[in-house]
Amino acid sequence: MADINANYLNLRSSYLFSEIAARVAAHAAKNPDQKIIRLGIGDVTQPLVPSVIKALQDAVNEQSTAAGFKGYGPEQGYDFLREAIVKDSYPGLGIGADEIFVSDGAKCDVGNFQELFATGCKVAITDPVYPVYADANVMAGRGGAPDGSGRFAGMIYLPCTAENGFVPELPKEKPDLIYLCYPNNPTGTVLTRDQLKVWVDYARKNDAIIFYDSAYECFIREPGIPHSIYEVDGAREVAVEFRSYSKTAGFTGLRCGYAVVPKTVTGKAPDGSRVALNTLWNRRQTTKYNGCPYIVQRAAEAVHSAQGKKEVTAVVEGYLANSKLIKNAFEKMGLTVVGGTNAPYVWVKVPMNSWDFFTLLLEKAGVVGTPGAGFGPSGQEYFRLTGFGSPENTREAIERLRSLKL
Ligand code: PLP
């Protein structure tokens, strides 16, 4: 009998953004003349920069010649990109090109990497959280059943609230796998080097692995905030890091990201011996993945060039300017806001339940945001907005917010 993986039945039935889309569609059907401004979903809106387009075009043209044609590529990524990543993003951090695994984005990597670990491993995630970490572990049987509050009974939660300054505290129960995301989605907050060191030291002491998602690293502007976990001493023994070109360079449709898996990070085999995660991830990727397209990897390489960096930084600056406008607008309304300065996300404390605030904003202003409750119970009275809209739409949304009576 084809019994299904019953863990899937533990997942919450509706993915957050489908629920939002359904509610927006219902509102739009009732109000066909209203222009709806979407500041909720984390997709970019600006086109690919000229350096990326040129690299794509050149790579496409190469495919028309026998000499330039590329078939299957290395599953781990082409050396030209792995080397560009090491040189540009990890200088002086002791990371080698054979510790970089190029993929078609960070979502699959953060979702798939848990496969290397036993079902019995205890997983810690923040609350609120990017839902993929939780759901991937629920599918693998590590989440247990939903407990009715928006959490899963088998996971360890690290609340990030105003009370702890949105900095997760060390858990009482010992986790084996710890997901950290900084700059954070959804709160837009960052960790200082000392705050991150607490977690690296904890992982070393407790033989835990940190999954460090730095998909929003390019938004960091404050000096002293670590861009990579490997800036912290000892992280090369306990952390894998995930990065993405999605928000860095507008690749949400093109698809490219990578995992950094230092050879020094190990897990424990049943006989007590240590096994390098780099070897296991290589085995996993070569078995289940056939590599990111050559033309996309050439485009990603262009992001690391001097000109490419200049161009993508200008786009990111535009998104950050939007985030700051949103942050200021809500602060002027008397609300407490975090994020928006080292991240595209603005996390607003709202004076009601987050879904009620969603409805209010949609109905009274035609602006779509994301209810914090969708990221976990600690987001119940928060609302996430993003700087990824166009400057015009962001300004228009802010004008509409000004007339809102809370
Ligand atoms: N990690 C975080 C925290 C994200 O917010 C997202 C996308 O929104 C991703 C990973 C996925 O990135 P990618 O587009 O590279 O799959």
Side-chain angles (χ1 to χ4, degrees):
M1 213 190 324
D3 290 334
I4 54 147
N5 174 353
N7 295 319
Y8 275 64
L9 304 180
N10 284 330
L11 294 166
R12 271 170 292 175
S13 59
S14 169
Y15 185 57
L16 174 62
F17 293 107
S18 332
E19 176 66 26
I20 291 171
R23 292 197 191 200
V24 173
H27 174 82
K30 272 197 258 158
N31 304 275
D33 298 329
Q34 186 187 40
K35 175 183 165 191
I36 292 175
I37 302 180
R38 289 177 171 77
L39 297 185
I41 198 160
D43 198 358
V44 295
T45 51
Q46 298 305 299
L48 295 167
V49 299
S51 297
V52 166
I53 294 295
K54 168 85 171 52
L56 281 171
Q57 286 167 337
D58 290 349
V60 167
N61 289 339
E62 272 185 76
Q63 302 311 299
S64 67
T65 65
F69 170 73
K70 294 282 187 298
Y72 290 124
E75 293 92 342
Q76 306 83 348
Y78 283 96
D79 284 345
F80 64 78
L81 180 56
R82 300 172 92 190
E83 280 157 17
I85 291 167
V86 165
K87 194 162 158 242
D88 184 38
S89 300
Y90 295 93
L93 294 180
I95 300 295
D98 54 358
E99 295 176 318
I100 306 288
F101 291 83
V102 178
S103 70
D104 60 3
K107 188 179 193 174
C108 1
D109 289 344
V110 298
N112 291 333
F113 209 87
Q114 48 73 30
E115 278 182 32
L116 305 190
F117 297 91
T119 311
C121 281
K122 270 279 176 191
V123 178
I125 57 171
T126 59
D127 170 17
V129 72
Y130 176 55
V132 176
Y133 313 147
D135 289 358
N137 279 287
V138 170
M139 290 170 177
R142 285 185 211 98
D147 70 358
S149 78
R151 290 180 168 186
F152 293 96
M155 317 258 302
I156 299 171
Y157 286 88
L158 312 166
C160 293
T161 60
E163 286 69 42
N164 59 22
F166 300 93
V167 177
E169 289 158 37
L170 296 175
K172 290 191 183 71
E173 188 184 355
K174 186 183 114 40
D176 304 298
L177 310 175
I178 303 161
Y179 287 79
L180 295 177
C181 170
Y182 289 98
N184 188 259
N185 177 11
T187 65
T189 55
V190 288
L191 290 188
T192 63
R193 191 168 281 108
D194 286 348
Q195 287 165 340
L196 190 52
K197 186 172 183 320
V198 169
W199 283 95
V200 170
D201 291 348
Y202 177 83
R204 284 164 65 86
K205 197 165 148 225
N206 293 285
D207 198 7
I209 301 288
I210 298 175
F211 291 20
Y212 194 70
D213 185 343
S214 62
Y216 298 97
E217 167 275 329
C218 67
F219 290 85
I220 297 173
R221 288 294 172 275
E222 225 173 296
I225 300 296
H227 287 240
S228 163
I229 195 166
Y230 304 117
E231 291 177 36
V232 175
D233 280 347
R236 289 181 75 255
E237 274 106 69
V238 290
V240 291
E241 180 163 295
F242 304 97
R243 287 215 186 162
S244 166
Y245 293 92
S246 283
K247 314 299 157 67
T248 313
F251 278 42
T252 51
L254 211 51
R255 310 302 308 145
C256 193
Y258 55 91
V260 185
V261 191
K263 291 182 181 163
T264 37
V265 188
T266 61
K268 197 164 82 174
D271 66 2
S273 63
R274 306 297 301 193
V275 181
L277 300 191
N278 183 289
T279 311
L280 294 186
W281 187 240
N282 191 52
R283 189 71 175 89
R284 192 268 175 208
Q285 290 296 80
T286 51
T287 301
K288 292 194 179 179
Y289 183 60
N290 242 341
C292 176
Y294 172 76
I295 59 173
V296 175
Q297 292 191 57
R298 281 294 184 199
E301 181 191 25
V303 175
H304 295 283
S305 69
Q307 179 60 21
K309 270 202 285 198
K310 218 161 96 187
E311 292 167 1
V312 295
T313 302
V315 176
V316 168
E317 286 297 331
Y319 293 140
L320 275 171
N322 291 340
S323 306
K324 279 177 204 153
L325 283 179
I326 297 169
K327 183 179 165 82
N328 291 343
F330 278 102
E331 280 174 347
K332 281 210 180 104
M333 289 163 79
L335 301 180
T336 304
V337 186
V338 292
T341 45
N342 293 300
Y345 297 115
V346 178
W347 189 241
V348 186
K349 174 88 167 69
V350 291
M352 61 190 81
N353 168 300
S354 66
W355 277 107
D356 291 344
F357 192 78
F358 171 87
T359 306
L360 178 85
L361 221 61
L362 180 61
E363 288 183 355
K364 300 278 186 263
V367 172
V368 181
T370 312
F375 300 100
S378 294
Q380 204 59 260
E381 285 172 7
Y382 285 87
F383 203 68
R384 192 193 76 170
L385 291 123
T386 85
F388 288 126
S390 67
E392 303 72 39
N393 278 348
T394 305
R395 275 195 293 272
E396 190 179 337
I398 285 165
E399 280 307 312
R400 294 187 196 176
L401 289 176
R402 285 208 178 102
S403 57
L404 207 65
K405 296 269 174 299
L406 290 179

